[in-house]
Amino acid sequence: MNLILFGPPAAGKGTQAKRLVEEYGYVQLSTGDMLRAARASGSELGDRVAKIMDEGGLVSDEIVIDLIDDQLEQNKGAAGFIFDGFPRTLGQAKALDDLLKSRGTQVDRVIRLVVDEDQLMARVTKRFNEQGRKDDNPATFAARLEKYNQDTAPLLPFYAERGILREVDGMASIEAVKEGVEKALKETA
């Protein structure tokens, strides 16, 4: 099964993805983790990613798609993939469809974690203070959230029309979100 966890930055996608990896053996493809790894690598690509992230921007579709394509290639034969933070735009969604189609597969389920943006800002501020992640700076996060809302809104009807979109209350307890995700996975499209 190929699953997209959909929701704004800090909605809890990573938490749920890690749990699904442990329970089902899927490979998690977190664009945030891949971008942080690229940033830390000191490579030319990493330097470009760092500059964009520090300015509160989102990296280009081309960079993200290249990172995803590389991971799909490296994990051939996996039971399935969890796309965490990808796709973010309609162009990326179509590129993902093309990538998966070229491998004889598709997106099977999209689970949207629905969150309250004010509470989300509080969550990010706390994470920034505790972990010091530069991309969680509250001002930077506000720019990322605005960009997310602008770019990803078209994805809701794109996946809803296919009958594969499910919504889960992302502000509930981790256990309640887990139960909602499980229910969404078991529903037929």
Side-chain angles (χ1 to χ4, degrees), residues 1 12 19 21 24 28 33 35 39 42 44 55 57 60 65-66 69 80 90 96 120 129 131 143 149 153 163 178:
M1 173 176 276
R19 182 191 63 76
V21 166
Y24 294 99
Q28 178 187 7
D33 290 345
L35 290 169
R39 175 189 184 127
E44 180 183 335
E55 293 172 353
S60 71
I65 290 166
D66 286 348
D69 191 30
L90 199 51
L96 178 60
L120 198 60
N129 290 334
Q131 298 176 16
N149 286 328
K178 173 187 172 188

Side-chain angles (χ1 to χ4, degrees), residues 31-40 46-59 133-137 140-141 143-144:
T31 53
D33 290 345
M34 288 187 285
L35 290 169
R36 281 186 285 279
R39 175 189 184 127
D47 290 344
R48 286 181 19 217
V49 166
K51 183 176 189 284
I52 293 166
M53 290 171 72
D54 288 347
E55 293 172 353
L58 296 174
V59 299
R133 281 175 35 180
K134 289 182 181 182
D135 56 318
D136 279 344
N137 174 294
T140 300
F141 177 77
R144 291 173 61 212

Side-chain angles (χ1 to χ4, degrees), residues 93-113:
K94 291 176 180 177
L96 178 60
D97 281 350
D98 291 344
L99 282 175
L100 294 176
K101 186 177 180 180
S102 74
R103 289 167 171 75
T105 189
Q106 65 187 7
V107 173
D108 299 299
R109 180 72 71 234
V110 176
I111 299 176
R112 177 181 179 222
L113 299 181

Side-chain angles (χ1 to χ4, degrees), residues 13-80:
K13 299 179 303 289
T15 298
Q16 293 303 315
K18 285 179 179 71
R19 182 191 63 76
L20 292 168
V21 166
E22 290 173 9
E23 290 186 22
Y24 294 99
Y26 298 137
V27 174
Q28 178 187 7
L29 299 180
S30 165
T31 53
D33 290 345
M34 288 187 285
L35 290 169
R36 281 186 285 279
R39 175 189 184 127
S41 72
S43 68
E44 180 183 335
L45 175 62
D47 290 344
R48 286 181 19 217
V49 166
K51 183 176 189 284
I52 293 166
M53 290 171 72
D54 288 347
E55 293 172 353
L58 296 174
V59 299
S60 71
D61 287 355
E62 181 182 347
I63 292 171
V64 175
I65 290 166
D66 286 348
L67 290 169
I68 292 287
D69 191 30
D70 183 59
Q71 289 299 309
L72 291 173
E73 189 65 30
Q74 288 183 35
N75 292 285
K76 283 184 177 177

